[in-house]
Amino acid sequence: MAALPGAADAHTSERHGSKPTIVLVHGAWADASSWTGVVRQLQADGYRVIAPANPLRSLESDSDYLETLLATIDGPIVLVGHSYGAAVITNAAAGDPAVQALVFVNGSVPAEGETVAELAGPDSALSVSDPTTIFDFVPAALPPTPETDVYLKSTTFLRSFATGLSRDRALALWATQRPVTFGALNEPSGKPAWESIPSWYLIGTEDRVIPSSAQEDMADKAGSTVVRYHAGHLGPITHPTQVTRTITAAVRATR
């Protein structure tokens, strides 16, 4: 287990060459504002940071979109993905020589052929026999199609997804959640970038959506450097300093 670097180390200026651009990719039922605390800390340390809107339409098209964005960036890149966003960066960065490190935060990290839905494992709060008890589908017609939008019910959002936040803040995030399509959650992944790019995995030990046991298995599969923090699923919001430290540790290790 890798130790979290100290605050002083996290804000030490890089000595060799230019700093990479940090690209932060959010997950399902969220938007780029979930990275606000991390963005502020990285910018304060002199990094160029981009937190794009993840379309959440399909794993392939989301990854293709990110790939086109990465192509506009000059210089090295450190790519960070939270939850479903980790699957997107796993696909988008494959074969990209500009990406020097991958950082997975409470991430869904697939091997080729695996789906995001299966990676959460049987102990996830989202692994239920009747999905209508935890999801709202739009349109409501069942069974859902690949194009059906999937929203989290308020009870699921408050009890499992937004743990560690005040009820008022969690309710506001629930009301503004961005849906992911049913197809995106169940689409087989392509060739994973972690086969050729070094990775770090920040495991949220209190996560109810992707339990820590499932995260440990994915980190082991990807050969990631593992860091653990006492956080639920929305660690980038509740624990931005720990997330930032892991990102900067990946930067220093891959200079």
Short mmCIF file of all heavy atoms in Angstrom, two decimals, residues 81-109:
data_model
loop_
_atom_site.label_atom_id
_atom_site.label_comp_id
_atom_site.label_asym_id
_atom_site.label_seq_id
_atom_site.Cartn_x
_atom_site.Cartn_y
_atom_site.Cartn_z
N GLY A 81 -9.88 9.47 -13.78
CA GLY A 81 -11.28 9.11 -13.98
C GLY A 81 -11.92 8.65 -12.69
O GLY A 81 -11.36 7.83 -11.96
N HIS A 82 -13.11 9.18 -12.41
CA HIS A 82 -13.87 8.77 -11.24
C HIS A 82 -15.02 7.88 -11.67
O HIS A 82 -15.72 8.17 -12.64
CB HIS A 82 -14.44 10.01 -10.52
CG HIS A 82 -15.38 9.68 -9.40
ND1 HIS A 82 -16.71 10.02 -9.42
CD2 HIS A 82 -15.18 9.01 -8.23
CE1 HIS A 82 -17.30 9.60 -8.30
NE2 HIS A 82 -16.38 8.98 -7.58
N SER A 83 -15.21 6.75 -10.95
CA SER A 83 -16.34 5.87 -11.17
C SER A 83 -16.41 5.43 -12.64
O SER A 83 -15.44 4.91 -13.18
CB SER A 83 -17.63 6.57 -10.71
OG SER A 83 -18.72 5.68 -10.65
N TYR A 84 -17.55 5.65 -13.31
CA TYR A 84 -17.67 5.31 -14.74
C TYR A 84 -16.61 6.02 -15.57
O TYR A 84 -16.15 5.49 -16.60
CB TYR A 84 -19.08 5.69 -15.22
CG TYR A 84 -19.28 5.66 -16.71
CD1 TYR A 84 -19.47 4.47 -17.40
CD2 TYR A 84 -19.29 6.85 -17.45
CE1 TYR A 84 -19.65 4.45 -18.78
CE2 TYR A 84 -19.47 6.85 -18.83
CZ TYR A 84 -19.65 5.64 -19.49
OH TYR A 84 -19.85 5.63 -20.85
N GLY A 85 -16.19 7.20 -15.15
CA GLY A 85 -15.15 7.92 -15.87
C GLY A 85 -13.85 7.15 -15.96
O GLY A 85 -13.06 7.35 -16.89
N ALA A 86 -13.59 6.25 -15.00
CA ALA A 86 -12.39 5.43 -15.05
C ALA A 86 -12.44 4.46 -16.23
O ALA A 86 -11.41 4.17 -16.86
CB ALA A 86 -12.21 4.66 -13.75
N ALA A 87 -13.63 3.96 -16.55
CA ALA A 87 -13.78 3.09 -17.72
C ALA A 87 -13.56 3.88 -19.00
O ALA A 87 -12.98 3.38 -19.96
CB ALA A 87 -15.17 2.45 -17.73
N VAL A 88 -14.01 5.14 -19.01
CA VAL A 88 -13.83 5.99 -20.18
C VAL A 88 -12.35 6.26 -20.43
O VAL A 88 -11.86 6.13 -21.56
CB VAL A 88 -14.61 7.30 -20.02
CG1 VAL A 88 -14.31 8.25 -21.18
CG2 VAL A 88 -16.11 7.03 -19.95
N ILE A 89 -11.59 6.61 -19.40
CA ILE A 89 -10.16 6.88 -19.62
C ILE A 89 -9.41 5.60 -19.96
O ILE A 89 -8.43 5.63 -20.71
CB ILE A 89 -9.51 7.62 -18.43
CG1 ILE A 89 -9.34 6.72 -17.21
CG2 ILE A 89 -10.29 8.87 -18.08
CD1 ILE A 89 -8.49 7.35 -16.09
N THR A 90 -9.87 4.46 -19.44
CA THR A 90 -9.25 3.19 -19.76
C THR A 90 -9.31 2.91 -21.25
O THR A 90 -8.37 2.37 -21.84
CB THR A 90 -9.95 2.05 -18.99
OG1 THR A 90 -9.66 2.18 -17.59
CG2 THR A 90 -9.51 0.68 -19.45
N ASN A 91 -10.41 3.31 -21.89
CA ASN A 91 -10.56 3.11 -23.33
C ASN A 91 -9.93 4.23 -24.14
O ASN A 91 -9.27 3.99 -25.15
CB ASN A 91 -12.05 2.99 -23.68
CG ASN A 91 -12.63 1.63 -23.33
OD1 ASN A 91 -12.72 0.75 -24.16
ND2 ASN A 91 -13.00 1.44 -22.07
N ALA A 92 -10.11 5.47 -23.71
CA ALA A 92 -9.67 6.61 -24.50
C ALA A 92 -8.15 6.72 -24.61
O ALA A 92 -7.63 7.20 -25.62
CB ALA A 92 -10.23 7.91 -23.92
N ALA A 93 -7.43 6.30 -23.58
CA ALA A 93 -5.98 6.50 -23.55
C ALA A 93 -5.19 5.38 -24.20
O ALA A 93 -3.97 5.51 -24.37
CB ALA A 93 -5.51 6.66 -22.10
N ALA A 94 -5.86 4.31 -24.61
CA ALA A 94 -5.14 3.18 -25.19
C ALA A 94 -4.37 3.62 -26.43
O ALA A 94 -4.94 4.18 -27.36
CB ALA A 94 -6.12 2.07 -25.54
N GLY A 95 -3.08 3.41 -26.41
CA GLY A 95 -2.24 3.76 -27.54
C GLY A 95 -1.86 5.21 -27.65
O GLY A 95 -1.25 5.62 -28.65
N ASP A 96 -2.19 6.02 -26.64
CA ASP A 96 -1.87 7.46 -26.69
C ASP A 96 -0.55 7.71 -25.97
O ASP A 96 -0.48 7.63 -24.74
CB ASP A 96 -2.99 8.27 -26.02
CG ASP A 96 -2.83 9.77 -26.22
OD1 ASP A 96 -1.71 10.21 -26.52
OD2 ASP A 96 -3.83 10.50 -26.06
N PRO A 97 0.52 8.04 -26.69
CA PRO A 97 1.82 8.21 -26.05
C PRO A 97 1.91 9.46 -25.18
O PRO A 97 2.85 9.58 -24.39
CB PRO A 97 2.78 8.31 -27.25
CG PRO A 97 1.92 8.83 -28.37
CD PRO A 97 0.57 8.23 -28.15
N ALA A 98 0.97 10.39 -25.31
CA ALA A 98 1.01 11.61 -24.50
C ALA A 98 0.56 11.37 -23.07
O ALA A 98 0.89 12.14 -22.17
CB ALA A 98 0.14 12.70 -25.13
N VAL A 99 -0.21 10.30 -22.84
CA VAL A 99 -0.72 10.03 -21.49
C VAL A 99 0.34 9.30 -20.70
O VAL A 99 0.69 8.15 -20.99
CB VAL A 99 -2.03 9.20 -21.55
CG1 VAL A 99 -2.52 8.91 -20.13
CG2 VAL A 99 -3.10 9.94 -22.34
N GLN A 100 0.87 9.97 -19.66
CA GLN A 100 1.97 9.39 -18.91
C GLN A 100 1.51 8.63 -17.67
O GLN A 100 2.26 7.82 -17.13
CB GLN A 100 2.96 10.47 -18.50
CG GLN A 100 2.44 11.50 -17.51
CD GLN A 100 3.49 12.57 -17.20
OE1 GLN A 100 4.28 12.95 -18.07
NE2 GLN A 100 3.50 13.05 -15.97
N ALA A 101 0.27 8.86 -17.23
CA ALA A 101 -0.24 8.14 -16.07
C ALA A 101 -1.76 8.17 -16.07
O ALA A 101 -2.38 9.11 -16.57
CB ALA A 101 0.29 8.76 -14.77
N LEU A 102 -2.34 7.12 -15.50
CA LEU A 102 -3.77 7.02 -15.28
C LEU A 102 -4.01 7.01 -13.78
O LEU A 102 -3.29 6.34 -13.03
CB LEU A 102 -4.33 5.73 -15.88
CG LEU A 102 -4.08 5.47 -17.36
CD1 LEU A 102 -4.47 4.03 -17.70
CD2 LEU A 102 -4.87 6.45 -18.22
N VAL A 103 -5.03 7.74 -13.34
CA VAL A 103 -5.41 7.73 -11.93
C VAL A 103 -6.89 7.38 -11.85
O VAL A 103 -7.74 8.09 -12.39
CB VAL A 103 -5.15 9.09 -11.24
CG1 VAL A 103 -5.55 9.01 -9.77
CG2 VAL A 103 -3.68 9.48 -11.38
N PHE A 104 -7.18 6.28 -11.16
CA PHE A 104 -8.55 5.83 -10.98
C PHE A 104 -9.01 6.19 -9.57
O PHE A 104 -8.35 5.83 -8.59
CB PHE A 104 -8.65 4.32 -11.18
CG PHE A 104 -8.07 3.81 -12.48
CD1 PHE A 104 -7.07 2.85 -12.49
CD2 PHE A 104 -8.51 4.32 -13.69
CE1 PHE A 104 -6.53 2.37 -13.68
CE2 PHE A 104 -7.98 3.85 -14.89
CZ PHE A 104 -7.00 2.87 -14.89
N VAL A 105 -10.13 6.89 -9.47
CA VAL A 105 -10.67 7.30 -8.17
C VAL A 105 -12.00 6.61 -7.98
O VAL A 105 -12.97 6.88 -8.71
CB VAL A 105 -10.84 8.83 -8.11
CG1 VAL A 105 -11.36 9.25 -6.74
CG2 VAL A 105 -9.52 9.54 -8.42
N ASN A 106 -12.07 5.68 -7.00
CA ASN A 106 -13.29 4.88 -6.83
C ASN A 106 -13.77 4.40 -8.20
O ASN A 106 -14.93 4.51 -8.55
CB ASN A 106 -14.40 5.70 -6.17
CG ASN A 106 -14.04 6.22 -4.80
OD1 ASN A 106 -13.13 7.04 -4.66
ND2 ASN A 106 -14.76 5.77 -3.78
N GLY A 107 -12.88 3.84 -8.97
CA GLY A 107 -13.13 3.67 -10.40
C GLY A 107 -13.66 2.31 -10.82
O GLY A 107 -13.39 1.28 -10.21
N SER A 108 -14.39 2.34 -11.94
CA SER A 108 -14.77 1.13 -12.67
C SER A 108 -13.69 0.92 -13.73
O SER A 108 -13.64 1.64 -14.72
CB SER A 108 -16.13 1.30 -13.35
OG SER A 108 -17.15 1.46 -12.40
N VAL A 109 -12.85 -0.07 -13.52
CA VAL A 109 -11.66 -0.26 -14.36
C VAL A 109 -11.79 -1.61 -15.07
O VAL A 109 -11.45 -2.65 -14.50
CB VAL A 109 -10.37 -0.19 -13.52
CG1 VAL A 109 -9.14 -0.38 -14.42
CG2 VAL A 109 -10.29 1.14 -12.79
#
